[in-house]
């Protein structure tokens, strides 16, 4: 079965309550091509409100992070099963958290485990720094190690249900997206590695590209055979731009 494209909007630590509600309402009011899945990831404070506003639309909601620990005495954290009461997805291991908040591969793996236990669909983010990208033999193995570290212990059926987002760190928020060929090269390598881990899962798993995706470059990226969608930051904060990326995904099928 063909993989359904997914366009995911990561709002990061942006938008006040009113703006988040307005954006969600605008997105809910617009048409969405039936052949594309879409999701938004608001700041946790606005997650419940945004989920309510989108409840009659086909746009799903997700959290930007979850705790690796079960519910309990852990000030300031959000347990995966709490998120699951409101949302269906969760981003795990975004590079901003890995780099700026010290999330290691071990932590990311534990968060992915917690998300799956709670019935959430994790979007596992992986990607290399510019320094690693500049070493021709290093960048693919680096990213594959991140994928293996997060998924190697899970059964095949669960591996296939995870979504992976390849987000080169040098492309995030820089306006310099990876070329379609670079995105394809890495997404194909990730798919092959997933299939090694869990036979058959490679064909099924959805792999997104993220990093400076916008209405202008989306189509070229999304027509690549191993790019199944996009994780969009900046451009997801503007309803028309986010919709244009969704439309590009529909046109790229
Ligand atoms: P960007 O962010 O589209 O603003 O580059 C992507 C991301 O970090 O998910």
């Amino acid at each position: 079965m063909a993989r359904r494209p997914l366009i995911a909007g990561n709002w990061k630590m942006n938008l006040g309550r009113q703006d988040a509600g307005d954006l969600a309402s605008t997105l809910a009011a617009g048409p969405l091509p039936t052949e594309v899945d879409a999701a938004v990831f608001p700041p946790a404070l606005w997650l419940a409100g945004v989920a309510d506003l989108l409840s009659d639309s086909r746009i799903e909601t997700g959290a930007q992070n979850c705790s690796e620990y079960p519910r309990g005495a852990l000030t300031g954290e959000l347990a995966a099963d709490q998120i699951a009461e409101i949302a269906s997805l969760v981003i795990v291991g975004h590079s901003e958290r890995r780099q700026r908040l010290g999330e290691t591969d071990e932590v990311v793996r534990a968060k992915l485990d917690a998300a799956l236990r709670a019935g959430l669909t994790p979007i596992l983010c992986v990607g290399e720094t510019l320094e690693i990208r500049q070493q021709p033999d290093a960048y693919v193995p680096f990213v594959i190690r991140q994928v293996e570290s997060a998924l190697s212990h899970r059964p095949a059926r669960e591996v296939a249900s995870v979504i992976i987002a390849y987000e080169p760190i040098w492309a995030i928020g820089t306006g310099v997206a990876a070329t379609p060929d670079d995105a394809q090269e890495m997404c194909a390598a990730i798919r092959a590695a997933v299939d090694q881990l869990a036979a058959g899962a490679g064909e099924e798993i959805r792999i997104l590209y993220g990093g400076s995706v916008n209405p202008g470059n989306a189509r070229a990226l999304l027509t690549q055979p191993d790019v199944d969608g996009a994780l969009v930051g900046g451009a997801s904060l503007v309803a028309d731009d986010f919709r244009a990326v969704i439309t590009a995904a529909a046109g790229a099928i």
Side-chain angles (χ1 to χ4, degrees), residues 41-145:
F41 296 77
L45 267 176
W46 319 141
L47 182 56
V50 167
D52 284 346
L53 289 167
L54 293 174
S55 60
D56 289 334
S57 84
R58 282 190 41 248
I59 302 175
E60 290 183 81
T61 48
Q64 298 172 13
N65 174 45
C66 68
S67 172
E68 65 267 47
Y69 297 106
R71 214 182 267 212
L74 200 57
T75 304
E77 287 292 274
L78 290 177
D81 67 334
Q82 292 174 312
I83 294 166
E85 289 194 25
I86 297 174
S88 52
L89 297 150
V90 62
I91 295 172
V92 171
H94 192 282
S95 62
E96 286 152 12
R97 300 195 60 87
R98 290 180 189 260
Q99 289 212 303
R100 297 179 61 183
L101 300 169
E103 280 190 11
T104 61
D105 279 344
E106 290 65 40
V107 169
V108 172
R109 173 182 168 114
K111 290 188 174 198
L112 190 123
D113 288 346
L116 287 170
R117 252 195 320 272
L120 290 167
T121 298
I123 298 186
L124 168 69
C125 296
V126 294
E128 80 287 358
T129 60
L130 184 59
E131 200 190 340
I132 295 171
R133 167 57 62 166
Q134 284 164 344
Q135 303 164 38
D137 297 333
Y139 59 89
V140 171
F142 178 86
V143 170
I144 298 306
R145 265 197 304 278

Side-chain angles (χ1 to χ4, degrees), residues 10 12 91 94-96 125 167 171-175 210-213 231-236:
N10 177 8
K12 307 192 180 182
I91 295 172
H94 192 282
S95 62
E96 286 152 12
C125 296
E167 297 207 307
I172 295 177
T174 59
S212 296
V213 174
L231 183 52
V232 187
S236 74

Side-chain angles (χ1 to χ4, degrees), residues 6 8 123 163-166 187 206-210 227-231:
L6 169 65
I123 298 186
I163 297 165
I164 296 178
Y166 167 53
C187 291
R206 289 194 286 182
I207 304 176
L208 317 181
Y209 166 78
V227 178
D228 302 321
L231 183 52

